[in-house]
DNA sequence: GAGGGGGTTGAGCAGTCGCTCAACCCCCTC
DNA sequence: GAGGGGGTTGAGCGACTGCTCAACCCCCTC
């Protein structure tokens, strides 16, 4: 009962096993043996297919981000306001959490802080999300003061980073995170009001911002 | 050369060693032996003083958050606008990073996702920051539409969570984080403009918000 | 000086880690 | 049928893990 090519895509099984293990037991308990067990596969195959555990994690990180982004792209395409974006993000997150896929990106992100080999894959995974969010932001913010006075690409990065942080926050303090999201929704509704400012008000905003920049020393 | 009471506070040495190890090598490489080595102390003392590695990490988490908050409390007390709060946060963060203390809270936060024993200590550490931020927010937002239409306590939680996420984001993509922070500063400046809205405009905002709530179904 | 408890030490146990390796099976090619 | 390469397997190496333990030293109390 040893050996033999089973034909099924072992690489994929391993990456999905890595995502499962990462989400369920954290990066500290994610080893070649634990991942292989979760994938129903021999642990030596980790090294045959990926060379090292780090490489497996990096590949799994990209793979997982692609899967999640692809699955939710359609829903994001329907978002037209900041408040909707926020609500959509929460729904996606709760869905993933219910499905057992909680915050694998957060786990590799934590690992990448001190393990530079993981950083490129983590960045790549985050960038997939950032790109989707940026598309939405550009659309939302096109004819709003928000678009005129802020950089949507930078804002998209901020949203991605903040979401990861809030996702982790929710893991340790669900009630606190609930309040945080509610406050953010109120804030988004408030931002929506800005869109209704007329041209006169906008000129005032522009003037005021220029004054602020002078005081703070430009840029 | 064995035995003897050195008198110096070994508990403190261990907690500081844990914070150093956590920041420098990540939670995956934080073991009783590595922490003890960083503290210049025998590894068995971890178990004598704290009972287990988890308990040491929990204690270190509280201790570290207290130290950091206490060290920066004065500076936070001088903050009077959202833009200043953001700038202050970045400065604190760069200072900590330069000093080698990067994101130990982020590390335990990641660990706490799957290790429930760490969650209470992590929450306690985050709450220290949240409390300080809330004080600042209440002051900033007291006579602004932001205060009238949002919950400062929830907002403080959102800021804490977002900061942790952005801190980790900076660890893997410094240029991206730089753009994110710049966009947030622009956003904060824009929010500052809201403060100059007159009572008439505020009534309009209030009316508009009420309409939005009805459409979305209240709460 | 005798006793005792708080603090510290190095050795050691059982378990897991990353990774390697020879053996093996299956399937394709000749 | 012989050969060969891709895929898979269990065993095993050295290093590291959390944790325990008997021994030990120092200082305080009587």
């Amino acid at each position: 009962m040893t050996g033999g090519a089973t034909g099924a895509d072992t690489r994929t099984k391993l990456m999905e096993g890595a995502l499962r293990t990462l989400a369920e037991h954290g990066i500290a308990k994610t080893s070649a043996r634990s991942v292989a067990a979760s994938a129903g596969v021999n642990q030596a195959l980790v090294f045959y297919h990926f060379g090292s555990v780090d490489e497996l994690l990096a590949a799994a990180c990209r793979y997982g981000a692609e899967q999640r982004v692809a699955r939710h792209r359609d829903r994001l395409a329907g978002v037209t306001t900041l408040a909707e974006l926020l609500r959509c993000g929460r729904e996606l997150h709760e869905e993933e959490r219910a499905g057992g896929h909680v915050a694998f990106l957060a786990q590799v992100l934590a690992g990448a802080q001190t393990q530079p080999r993981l950083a490129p894959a983590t960045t790549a995974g985050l960038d997939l999300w950032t790109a989707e969010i940026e598309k939405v932001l550009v659309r939302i913010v096109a004819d709003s003061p928000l678009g005129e006075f802020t950089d949507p690409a930078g804002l998209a990065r901020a949203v991605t980073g903040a979401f990861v942080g809030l996702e982790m926050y929710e893991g340790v303090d669900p009630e606190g995170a609930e309040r945080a999201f509610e406050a953010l929704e109120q804030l988004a509704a408030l931002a929506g009001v800005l869109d209704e400012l007329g041209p006169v008000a906008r000129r005032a905003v522009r003037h005021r911002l220029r004054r602020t920049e002078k005081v703070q020393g430009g840029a």
Side-chain angles (χ1 to χ4, degrees), chain A:
Chain A
M1 194 53 97
T2 75
T6 64
D9 196 350
T10 305
R11 277 183 61 94
T12 304
K13 275 200 230 165
L14 277 172
M15 288 189 290
E16 283 171 355
L19 295 179
R20 255 193 312 274
T21 311
L22 225 33
E24 288 169 11
H25 305 294
I27 195 165
K29 305 244 172 202
T30 297
S31 65
R33 282 172 177 87
S34 63
V35 169
S38 170
V41 140
N42 188 286
Q43 52 90 20
L45 289 174
V46 169
F47 306 96
Y48 177 77
H49 284 290
F50 296 94
S52 73
V53 173
D54 277 359
E55 288 299 318
L56 165 59
L57 290 186
C61 179
R62 288 179 222 259
Y63 171 80
E66 278 165 17
Q67 296 289 104
R68 280 178 62 168
V69 168
R71 189 147 33 117
H72 298 304
R73 186 168 284 145
D74 291 346
R75 190 169 346 176
L76 274 173
V79 169
T80 58
T81 69
L82 271 185
E84 271 178 42
L85 175 59
L86 204 56
R87 194 174 291 264
C88 181
R90 283 183 79 179
E91 283 173 10
L92 295 192
H93 175 207
E94 273 172 27
E95 218 168 273
E96 300 284 341
R97 184 177 286 272
H101 300 275
V102 52
F104 72 85
L105 252 175
Q107 290 293 328
V108 278
L109 191 50
Q113 297 298 312
T114 54
Q115 202 136 11
R117 313 180 93 196
L118 280 179
T122 311
T123 309
L126 287 174
D127 283 351
L128 284 176
W129 281 109
T130 303
E132 289 304 312
I133 292 172
E134 188 176 344
K135 276 188 220 160
V136 176
L137 279 181
V138 165
R139 203 171 55 231
I140 290 176
V141 127
D143 49 4
S144 142
L146 281 175
E148 188 174 348
F149 300 113
T150 65
D151 167 30
L155 215 51
R157 283 163 173 77
V159 170
T160 302
F163 250 118
V164 172
L166 286 166
E167 206 166 271
M168 299 181 76
Y169 186 30
E170 185 162 24
V172 297
D173 184 5
E175 295 87 359
E178 175 73 19
R179 283 187 76 175
F181 275 114
E182 276 168 14
L184 285 177
E185 279 178 8
Q186 292 166 342
L187 202 61
L190 200 55
V193 173
L194 272 176
D195 298 356
E196 305 202 335
L197 288 176
V200 177
R202 276 207 206 189
R203 249 200 308 280
V205 169
R206 215 174 288 126
H207 177 70
R208 156 103 167 119
L209 281 180
R210 220 171 279 126
R211 195 149 50 96
T212 309
E213 279 176 9
K214 268 185 201 159
V215 171
Q216 291 184 351

